[in-house]
Amino acid sequence: MPELNPQQKAAVQYINGPLLVLAGAGSGKTSVITRKIVWLIRDYGIAPRNIVAVTFTNKAAREMKARVGDLLNGAHGKELQISTFHTLGLRILRDHLEAIGYRPGFSLYDNEDSQSLLAKLLRGQYSGKNNPADAVRRQISLWKNNLVSPAEAPLTTGGESIQDIAARVYGEYERHLQAYNAMDLDDLILKPVRLFQNHPEVLEEWRRSVRYLLVDEYQDTNLCQYELVKLLAGSRGALTVVGDDDQSIYAWRGAHPENLKHLQQDYPSLKVIKLEQNYRSSGRILKAANALIANNPHIFEKALWSERDYGESLRVLKARGDEHEAERVVSELLQHKFKHNTDFRDYAILFRENHQSRVLERVLRERRIPYFLSGGSSFFDKTEIKDVMAYLRLLCNPGDDNAFLRVINTPRREIGADTIEQLSAHAGELGTSLLQASLDAGIERRLTVRQVAILRVFTHWLTDMIGKAAEEDPAKLVCDILADLHYEEWLKDTCNDLKIAQRRMENVLELVAWIQRLARQDEEDKSLSGLVARLTLAGILDRGNEENPGDLVALMTLHAVKGLEFPHVFIVGMEEGLLPHHQSQSDTGVEEERRLAYVGITRARQTLTFSFVERRKRGGEVIGCEPSRFLKELPPDDLHWEEPDREPDPQAMLGRAEVYLSNLRNTLGNG
C-alpha cells in the first residue's frame, strides 16, 4: 500500500474542526477519504455506524466501501455508512415518513415517471408532440435543487415560457405525487432538508448519530445538498469535504461551485489543505491543464505537478470534415496500438455532444475495432426489468398508477384501451387510484360483463399478492409472481428468437439474485418496500455509469468521463461552437466549458491528442469551423499541429506496416 504524501497525511489526521481538502485531478482524493475513515475508526475510536461518507454515484460509493473494507481486513463491513446523497436521504426518510405525510411503501419516480405525470397534467393544454413535459420536469428539478417551493416559483401573468408553464403546474405536480404516495429523485434530498427544518428533534437525533461526516466531489453539490450537509454537521463542524472547483461541470443540473466559498463563510475556522501532486499524468499534460484553467477565476489557487516524465508532445489533428476527423482519429489510434502493443481499453475518444459519436461508431465498426459507448441503456432500462419492477412497485404502493398501467396488460390479458379509458375516468370521479377504482362496484356500470370479469381476475390476483408481500421473502415473492404470470412462456411466445427470450429471462433471474443480495446486506430494512426503493434508486443513479465490459475503446462525453482515466486520450471537435458550446457564450458559461476541457485533458496519463475540422455538418447544413479558443490557451511549445493533407512518409508507412505485421504474427501465434 503506497505511503501518503505529507499533505494527504495532514488531511487524514486533521480533526480539530471543519476541513476542506482541495484535491486536484489525479491527486489521490479517494485514498484520503478511505484512509481518513479507517483512521477515525482505528485511531480516534469512532464506531463505523457513526461515520457517514457521501458521494454522487453508486460506483464511487462501492469503490470507497470496498477500499475501507480491505484496509480494515473485512471488519465492520456492514456497519459502514458510505453511500450516495440520495441513498442517505432515503435512509433519513425511512423512519419518518409519517412526519412528511407519506405512508410506508412509497414509490420512487424516475424521470420517465415524472415526465409521464406532467404530460398528463398538461394534456388539456398541449397536444402530444408539443407537450413540454420533459422541459417542465427539468425546470421543476432545478427549483427543487435550489430549495424553491411551488409558492416561491416565479410566475409572470399569462407567460408561455417553460418557466411560466412549470410554475403553474408545479403545485399540482406535488399534490399528485403526495396523493400517489410517490416521490421523485430530487425529493430524496429536499424532503430530508424540510424534515430537519420542521422537526428539530429529528435533526438532533441524526446529529447525535453522525459523529463525523465526509463529503466527496463537494464542488458538485447543489444548494439543497449543501443545506443537508450544513444541517447534519451543525455548529460542531465534525466535517471533511473533498472537492475541486476546477472540475465543477454540472451547473446545468444545479451544481454550485460557489458552495466552496459558502463553506468558508459558514465555518470561519475552516482549514484548507491542497492536494497538488498528481499521480496520473505526464508533466506536459499537467502543464497544459494548468495553463488552460489559469484563464478561469479561482476561489482557491492551486497548480498540479508530477514526478512523472515530461512526456510526449500534445498532438492537434486538423481534418477537413467530421467523417475525415473520425477516420483520422481511428487510424491514429490503430497505428498507435499496433506500434506499442497496447490494449483497446487503453484508449478513450471524448466529445462534447452525444451526436458526435455516430460517425466515430461507424468508422470503428468498419475497421472492426471493438468499442464501448458510455451512457447507453442500463440494466434497469430493459423491458423485462421494468415489467418486474412495476409489479413490485405496485405491491408496495397500490396507489402507483404508473406501475398499474404498465402491468395491466403484461402479459396480455385482453384488457383493451376502452376498459383502461373507462377505468381512468371512474378513478378520476372517485378521486382514487386505478386499482381502487377497479374494485369499486360502480365500475360495472361503465364496462361490459366480459370486461369486468377480465379486469377483476387481474385485480383480485393483485390484491392477493399485496397480502402476501407483507409476509413472504421478497425473492420468493418475485418467483411466485413470475410463475403465476407464466412469464417465461410469455417471453418465448412473444420473442421472435428463442435466444432473445432466454437472455431476457436470464436478466429477470439476475434481478432476483440482486434482491437476494440486497436482503442479505441490509441488516435494518429487509422489507420488500425497502428493497424496491433501493433497487429503483440504483436503476436511476447507475444510468450512464456503466463500466467498460471488456477490451474495448471507450467512447464517451466529457461529462461522462469525470472520475475516469486512460493511458491514451483523444478529444475530438475542439471547435468554437462545440467546445466551448454555442449555448454557453456568457462568461460563466465559457468558464464551465473551460472546466469541461480541463476535465478531459486531465483524464490522460501518457498521450493526449486533439482534433478539429474545417467544416462540420450541423442542423442539415455544412458550416465553416474555427479552432477552439481553448487550443490557443495551451502552451504553444507543447503542441504539435498536423495538417490534413501532409505528404505521407514512405519510410514511416513501411515501418508501420512492419509493426502491424509483427503484431499480427504475435497475435496469431498466441492464439
Side-chain angles (χ1 to χ4, degrees):
M1 183 169 28
E3 285 299 308
L4 297 174
N5 66 38
Q7 290 74 29
Q8 291 173 327
K9 191 172 182 180
V12 165
Q13 296 185 354
Y14 183 81
I15 51 157
N16 295 330
L19 171 67
L20 166 61
V21 181
L22 199 68
S27 63
K29 71 177 178 67
T30 305
S31 290
V32 167
I33 296 173
T34 53
R35 298 284 192 93
K36 184 152 195 169
I37 292 169
V38 172
W39 192 82
L40 288 166
I41 295 168
R42 280 185 177 166
D43 296 70
Y44 201 65
I46 299 180
R49 65 179 177 276
N50 297 128
I51 300 169
V52 170
V54 288
T55 187
F56 278 83
T57 66
N58 282 325
K59 180 185 170 189
R62 284 193 297 268
E63 182 185 344
M64 266 192 233
K65 205 164 189 174
R67 284 209 208 179
V68 173
D70 288 344
L71 291 168
L72 291 171
N73 298 318
H76 311 296
K78 289 187 176 180
E79 297 176 73
L80 291 170
Q81 305 290 322
I82 302 173
S83 69
T84 63
F85 268 101
H86 294 92
T87 304
L88 174 62
L90 188 62
R91 196 182 308 139
I92 292 168
L93 292 175
R94 184 163 59 191
D95 297 325
H96 305 286
L97 287 172
E98 193 176 335
I100 60 168
Y102 275 74
R103 304 181 302 281
F106 69 87
S107 293
L108 182 58
Y109 275 18
D110 62 12
N111 290 344
E112 188 180 318
D113 291 320
S114 294
Q115 187 176 328
S116 174
L117 172 55
L118 285 163
K120 175 181 164 186
L121 297 178
L122 293 166
R123 199 165 290 144
Q125 305 166 56
Y126 302 94
S127 62
K129 276 192 175 179
N130 298 321
N131 196 311
D134 187 42
V136 168
R137 178 194 60 75
R138 289 196 299 270
Q139 178 60 64
I140 291 174
S141 176
L142 279 176
W143 280 331
K144 288 190 175 188
N145 291 337
N146 287 319
L147 296 167
V148 176
S149 68
E152 296 164 328
L155 176 65
T156 57
T157 307
E160 282 303 310
S161 68
I162 290 299
Q163 197 172 62
D164 288 322
I165 298 165
R168 288 198 296 271
V169 79
Y170 186 5
E172 194 178 356
Y173 170 70
E174 289 295 280
R175 286 190 293 276
H176 273 76
L177 284 177
Q178 188 102 29
Y180 294 158
N181 201 36
M183 299 182 202
D184 62 25
L185 189 65
D186 301 308
D187 287 329
L188 291 185
I189 313 295
L190 179 60
K191 290 193 183 298
V193 168
R194 298 299 189 212
L195 173 71
F196 286 160
Q197 289 171 338
N198 297 328
H199 298 270
E201 73 285 358
V202 176
L203 175 58
E204 191 53 41
E205 179 188 326
W206 269 86
R207 282 181 177 170
R208 283 196 301 270
S209 172
V210 180
R211 288 189 56 199
Y212 206 93
L213 179 62
L214 303 101
V215 185
D216 188 22
E217 302 287 9
Y218 194 72
Q219 76 282 346
D220 292 335
T221 54
N222 57 44
L223 286 181
C224 197
Q225 288 160 334
Y226 178 85
E227 189 64 24
L228 182 62
V229 169
K230 186 177 164 185
L231 285 163
L232 278 173
S235 57
R236 283 188 309 126
L239 169 71
T240 292
V241 305
V242 182
D244 180 8
D245 52 341
D246 289 334
Q247 295 188 72
S248 181
I249 58 173
Y250 296 116
W252 51 278
R253 68 181 190 201
H256 280 251
E258 303 86 1
N259 286 346
L260 291 167
K261 188 187 291 183
H262 295 158
L263 199 65
Q264 274 191 318
Q265 295 163 355
D266 288 331
Y267 296 99
S269 62
L270 180 75
K271 184 176 178 65
V272 179
I273 295 176
K274 299 178 185 179
L275 304 184
E276 297 172 291
Q277 182 175 359
N278 176 285
Y279 294 91
R280 176 187 300 160
S281 306
S282 70
R284 197 187 301 261
I285 289 169
L286 293 182
K287 180 183 171 186
N290 287 334
L292 176 71
I293 208 64
N295 293 279
N296 271 6
H298 284 84
I299 301 168
F300 302 98
E301 294 296 333
K302 70 174 188 313
L304 297 177
W305 60 275
S306 173
E307 292 180 344
R308 298 189 64 189
D309 294 340
Y310 193 57
E312 299 179 27
S313 292
L314 314 183
R315 299 172 66 204
V316 184
L317 309 179
K318 181 179 178 181
R320 292 184 291 274
D322 43 6
E323 293 194 5
H324 183 222
E325 177 186 48
E327 288 163 0
R328 194 157 184 207
V329 164
V330 172
S331 292
E332 295 287 347
L333 185 156
L334 204 52
Q335 288 169 14
H336 187 276
K337 173 182 164 47
F338 279 121
K339 181 177 179 181
H340 298 280
N341 198 26
T342 53
D343 294 325
F344 282 121
R345 64 164 61 89
D346 294 333
Y347 299 87
I349 305 176
L350 312 179
F351 37 84
R352 175 64 179 82
E353 292 191 321
N354 284 309
H355 69 82
Q356 290 174 262
S357 72
R358 291 175 201 145
V359 63
L360 289 161
E361 287 186 80
R362 181 177 60 73
V363 174
L364 288 165
R365 283 196 301 268
E366 286 173 358
R367 302 286 183 93
R368 297 186 178 180
I369 297 174
Y371 68 89
F372 165 71
L373 180 63
S374 175
S377 62
S378 81
F379 178 75
F380 285 89
D381 287 328
K382 298 180 187 299
T383 302
E384 58 275 15
I385 302 303
K386 278 182 166 285
D387 289 345
V388 177
M389 287 299 296
Y391 272 107
L392 297 181
R393 279 170 50 182
L394 197 52
L395 297 191
C396 300
N397 179 15
D400 190 335
D401 284 354
N402 278 5
F404 184 90
L405 288 171
R406 181 169 190 97
V407 303
I408 193 171
N409 248 339
T410 305
R412 292 283 299 171
R413 296 186 176 87
E414 298 182 40
I415 298 174
D418 180 58
T419 301
I420 295 170
E421 192 177 319
Q422 292 297 329
L423 181 59
S424 297
H426 193 57
E429 283 181 11
L430 295 175
T432 62
S433 69
L434 293 173
L435 177 56
Q436 283 179 303
S438 69
L439 298 169
D440 181 73
I443 193 66
E444 295 169 13
R445 294 192 297 273
R446 290 177 172 270
L447 302 175
T448 66
V449 173
R450 184 173 182 275
Q451 285 175 320
V452 170
I454 294 171
L455 182 62
R456 289 275 164 79
V457 168
F458 168 59
T459 53
H460 287 152
W461 170 81
L462 196 57
T463 50
D464 287 345
M465 280 294 169
I466 290 168
K468 280 186 180 181
E471 305 160 3
E472 203 161 293
D473 171 75
K476 183 179 183 306
L477 184 69
V478 176
C479 293
D480 289 347
I481 290 170
L482 295 171
D484 284 358
L485 297 175
H486 304 288
Y487 194 78
E488 186 170 7
E489 291 87 339
W490 179 70
L491 285 177
K492 290 175 182 175
D493 290 343
T494 53
C495 290
N496 297 326
D497 187 325
L498 187 59
K499 286 185 178 176
I500 294 173
Q502 288 171 338
R503 193 157 56 242
R504 290 178 66 184
M505 194 62 204
E506 284 167 8
N507 290 333
V508 171
L509 295 176
E510 187 180 333
L511 179 66
V512 175
W514 198 338
I515 290 169
Q516 287 175 317
R517 284 196 302 274
L518 268 183
R520 284 197 301 269
Q521 290 167 5
D522 197 313
E523 294 297 310
E524 294 180 45
D525 187 0
K526 296 177 182 289
S527 68
L528 180 65
S529 59
L531 295 172
V532 169
R534 291 197 298 287
L535 276 171
T536 305
L537 186 55
I540 297 169
L541 295 182
D542 283 345
R543 284 187 176 98
N545 291 303
E546 303 83 11
E547 296 186 34
N548 192 330
D551 185 21
L552 316 174
V553 172
L555 286 186
M556 52 181 57
T557 66
L558 287 160
H559 283 102
V561 77
K562 190 163 173 287
L564 303 177
E565 58 182 74
F566 299 88
H568 311 288
V569 169
F570 293 82
I571 304 178
V572 302
M574 288 291 292
E575 300 139 32
E576 289 294 304
L578 256 184
L579 190 65
H581 198 271
H582 64 91
Q583 292 179 343
S584 304
Q585 293 306 306
S586 66
D587 288 346
T588 55
V590 170
E591 287 165 14
E592 173 139 342
E593 293 290 298
R594 188 176 283 112
R595 293 195 292 268
L596 197 55
Y598 174 85
V599 165
I601 289 170
T602 53
R603 299 311 95 192
R605 295 208 293 260
Q606 298 169 28
T607 70
L608 177 60
T609 305
F610 303 99
S611 68
F612 70 95
V613 302
E614 296 173 313
R615 295 173 300 279
R616 188 176 294 278
K617 291 175 188 171
R618 189 180 293 164
E621 58 179 325
V622 177
I623 60 168
C625 300
E626 290 292 322
S628 169
R629 71 191 76 180
F630 300 151
L631 288 173
K632 298 167 190 171
E633 294 173 359
L634 301 179
D637 293 346
D638 294 297
L639 298 183
H640 181 63
W641 294 70
E642 299 180 13
E643 292 290 323
D645 296 316
R646 58 182 174 169
E647 284 297 316
D649 179 349
Q651 197 62 40
M653 289 179 69
L654 188 62
R656 280 199 292 269
E658 285 297 321
V659 170
Y660 179 93
L661 290 170
S662 172
N663 278 287
L664 195 58
R665 287 189 204 102
N666 288 338
T667 302
L668 293 171
N670 291 336

